[in-house]
Amino acid sequence: MKRFFQNPLAIILILFMTYTAVFSGRYDGPMDWLISTLLFLPGILIGLSFHEFGHAFVAWKCGDDTPRLQGRVTTNPIAHIDPIGFIALLFIGFGWGKPVMVNPNNFKKMRRDELLVDLAGVTMNLILAVAFTGIWRLLAQFFPEFLASSMGSIVNEIVFNVVYINIVLMVFNLLPVPPLDGFNVVTEIFNLRNTSLYYTIYNNGFLILMLLILFDITDRILTPAVIWCFDTLVMLFF
């Protein structure tokens, strides 16, 4: 992440995205924006925290004690929230958590264990999406009167947001662009780590990602995938 902020062009892209967010009408109704943000906040905190916890826990179980020593084998959001990434997520709709540091040399089977660690975050998001869809179904079946109340509508929206945000985090992180998990998954599956292609993409990954976001390419890819995952979960539970 520090490499990214050392790139002047990347900083310009962040500033441009901030400018776009400010003049997009997002903040025309400050109270509406604040209420919407508060309703999304539990989903963001849960999704990011459990995603990074998944990486840390699996790395620890695979033999690397680094995440445990750094206090990352926890679901406490304080251990996983990157302040700048969190603020960016709230205000411009794109952000990041604090990456889990691992030492692959400590793994029992390096390539296999790296793949497991890479998949752990998105797997945790999938588990959360499934679990909260189940909770949503139980609330709808056994407490319909509560959901019809003012407090119930708030709870209903928060649970919906938890499901939605975890699906978005899962799909987004599977994109094969560094520093996202999808790039590491592809790297391990096709054993690309010692190739020139790997280092070329790795060194420019965040910049590539920002350009994809800036030109709405990620949105064109993510939106159909997110809708399909969400509809599938709803179909399975409702």
Side-chain angles (χ1 to χ4, degrees):
M1 201 66 66
K2 290 181 179 178
R3 292 184 303 104
F4 169 69
F5 285 107
Q6 290 170 355
N7 189 319
L9 182 56
I11 296 174
I12 292 172
L13 285 172
I14 282 285
L15 292 175
F16 180 77
M17 290 178 68
T18 304
Y19 173 85
T20 303
V22 170
F23 290 96
S24 66
R26 182 194 292 257
Y27 308 113
D28 288 350
M31 283 305 299
D32 291 338
W33 172 82
L34 179 60
I35 292 171
S36 176
T37 300
L38 290 175
L39 292 174
F40 268 99
L41 197 57
I44 293 170
L45 292 174
I46 291 170
L48 285 178
S49 300
F50 276 80
H51 180 96
E52 300 301 340
F53 164 74
H55 288 310
F57 180 79
V58 173
W60 176 44
K61 287 300 181 181
C62 286
D64 181 22
D65 212 28
T66 306
R68 187 188 66 81
L69 294 174
Q70 294 183 341
R72 304 300 301 277
V73 187
T74 176
T75 56
N76 186 343
I78 295 175
H80 304 296
I81 297 299
D82 180 282
I84 296 176
F86 186 65
I87 292 171
L89 182 60
L90 293 180
F91 286 93
I92 66 175
F94 169 77
W96 53 89
K98 189 187 301 180
V100 173
M101 295 179 62
V102 299
N103 184 355
N105 293 320
N106 293 327
F107 291 150
K108 299 162 188 174
K109 292 185 178 180
M110 186 179 294
R111 195 172 159 200
R112 180 205 66 181
D113 292 346
E114 283 205 67
L115 180 60
L116 291 175
V117 171
D118 295 333
L119 288 171
V122 294
T123 301
M124 189 61 72
N125 291 134
L126 176 60
I127 291 171
L128 285 170
V130 171
F132 274 87
T133 305
I135 292 171
W136 198 15
R137 174 70 175 90
L138 292 174
L139 287 172
Q141 181 172 351
F142 295 106
F143 303 99
E145 297 85 1
F146 169 71
L147 290 183
S149 67
S150 298
M151 180 60 69
S153 65
I154 293 174
V155 172
N156 184 70
E157 188 161 356
I158 289 174
V159 173
F160 167 84
N161 287 339
V162 173
V163 174
Y164 177 78
I165 288 170
N166 274 281
I167 292 174
V168 170
L169 286 173
M170 177 186 70
V171 174
F172 179 71
N173 276 283
L174 283 173
L175 291 175
V177 181
L180 302 179
D181 301 326
F183 178 71
N184 296 326
V185 170
V186 171
T187 295
E188 299 307 328
I189 290 175
F190 296 101
N191 200 19
L192 301 176
R193 195 169 296 278
N194 294 320
T195 66
S196 59
L197 176 64
Y198 170 84
Y199 289 101
T200 299
I201 298 176
Y202 178 81
N203 290 329
N204 298 284
F206 217 119
L207 193 57
I208 295 170
L209 180 61
M210 293 301 296
L211 290 171
L212 291 175
I213 293 172
L214 188 63
F215 291 103
D216 287 332
I217 296 174
T218 52
D219 192 48
R220 294 173 191 173
I221 298 171
L222 294 179
T223 300
V226 169
I227 291 173
W228 182 85
C229 290
F230 182 83
D231 288 347
T232 299
L233 283 179
V234 171
M235 181 182 65
L236 289 173
F237 281 89
F238 286 84

